[in-house]
Amino acid sequence: MKKIKKIFSVLLTLAMVLGMSMTSLAASSAKITVNNLDAKATLTSVQIIAPDQTTETGWAFVNGAAASFKKVFTGLDDQSIIWKLIKYADAKAKVPEGTVAATAGEFQNAMQNVETDLKDSYSDAGVKDNEITVHNAGVYAVKATTSDTANYVYSPMAAYISFGTY
């Protein structure tokens, strides 16, 4: 009887572990929605900042975006730029002493550089109508284009996807 109880407890433990791992392995995604697009508009995107636990901010530039930001934030390393962006997004964020928030103008200029420099990296993967489905936390550069250029012009956009429930 003792052996049967031990076997059942091992099987129950195994079943619980396997049952919990299924939900943790489930793919999560987020949708980036762009409103007020004209009927002829198309969307593309590229991830420019991704999670990186080896850095002091926990984030790192990806896909060559650092060079685009360094054209605006001259003399700063990648992590200093990201600290400035964090402070810009949340004035109450805990950042290194002396960090000054990026300005809206600086961020806009950097995003225009991203659009120009990474034009071949943008993809329409995950795009359906006015939504882009992404699967990783980070910052995404979003570009809207249209054939109706006489009536519509779109500025570069950025979308932040957090680690939270999407």
Side-chain angles (χ1 to χ4, degrees):
M1 190 70 171
K2 282 186 175 182
K3 287 184 182 182
I4 292 174
K5 284 184 180 180
K6 285 183 182 181
I7 290 172
F8 278 124
S9 60
V10 168
L11 289 174
L12 180 61
T13 303
L14 183 61
M16 289 173 50
V17 168
L18 291 175
M20 294 299 285
S21 67
M22 294 304 283
T23 56
S24 67
L25 295 175
S28 59
S29 62
K31 291 191 185 307
I32 299 168
T33 304
V34 181
N35 296 319
N36 301 320
L37 293 173
D38 72 287
K40 298 177 183 179
T42 58
L43 292 174
T44 54
S45 68
V46 62
Q47 188 168 15
I48 58 173
I49 298 176
D52 183 347
Q53 294 182 348
T54 65
T55 65
E56 63 185 72
T57 62
W59 301 97
F61 286 107
V62 293
N63 296 318
S68 299
F69 277 82
K70 286 181 179 180
K71 290 177 183 177
V72 175
F73 300 99
T74 55
L76 296 178
D77 64 11
D78 294 7
Q79 291 300 293
S80 296
I81 296 169
I82 292 174
W83 280 124
K84 288 177 78 66
L85 296 174
I86 290 169
K87 184 75 171 174
Y88 170 65
D90 180 2
K92 296 180 182 177
K94 186 177 178 182
V95 298
E97 192 172 323
T99 301
V100 177
T103 66
E106 289 171 329
F107 186 65
Q108 182 66 28
N109 290 339
M111 290 305 298
Q112 294 212 337
N113 290 341
V114 166
E115 188 171 302
T116 302
D117 299 344
L118 303 182
K119 64 180 176 254
D120 296 330
S121 299
Y122 281 80
S123 167
D124 62 359
V127 174
K128 184 175 181 194
D129 299 323
N130 69 329
E131 291 184 338
I132 304 168
T133 302
V134 297
H135 300 284
N136 299 311
V139 177
Y140 291 81
V142 178
K143 179 169 54 173
T145 55
T146 184
S147 57
D148 189 3
T149 56
N151 295 308
Y152 297 95
V153 176
Y154 296 104
S155 297
M157 298 170 265
Y160 168 66
I161 303 300
S162 71
F163 288 102
T165 304
Y166 298 142

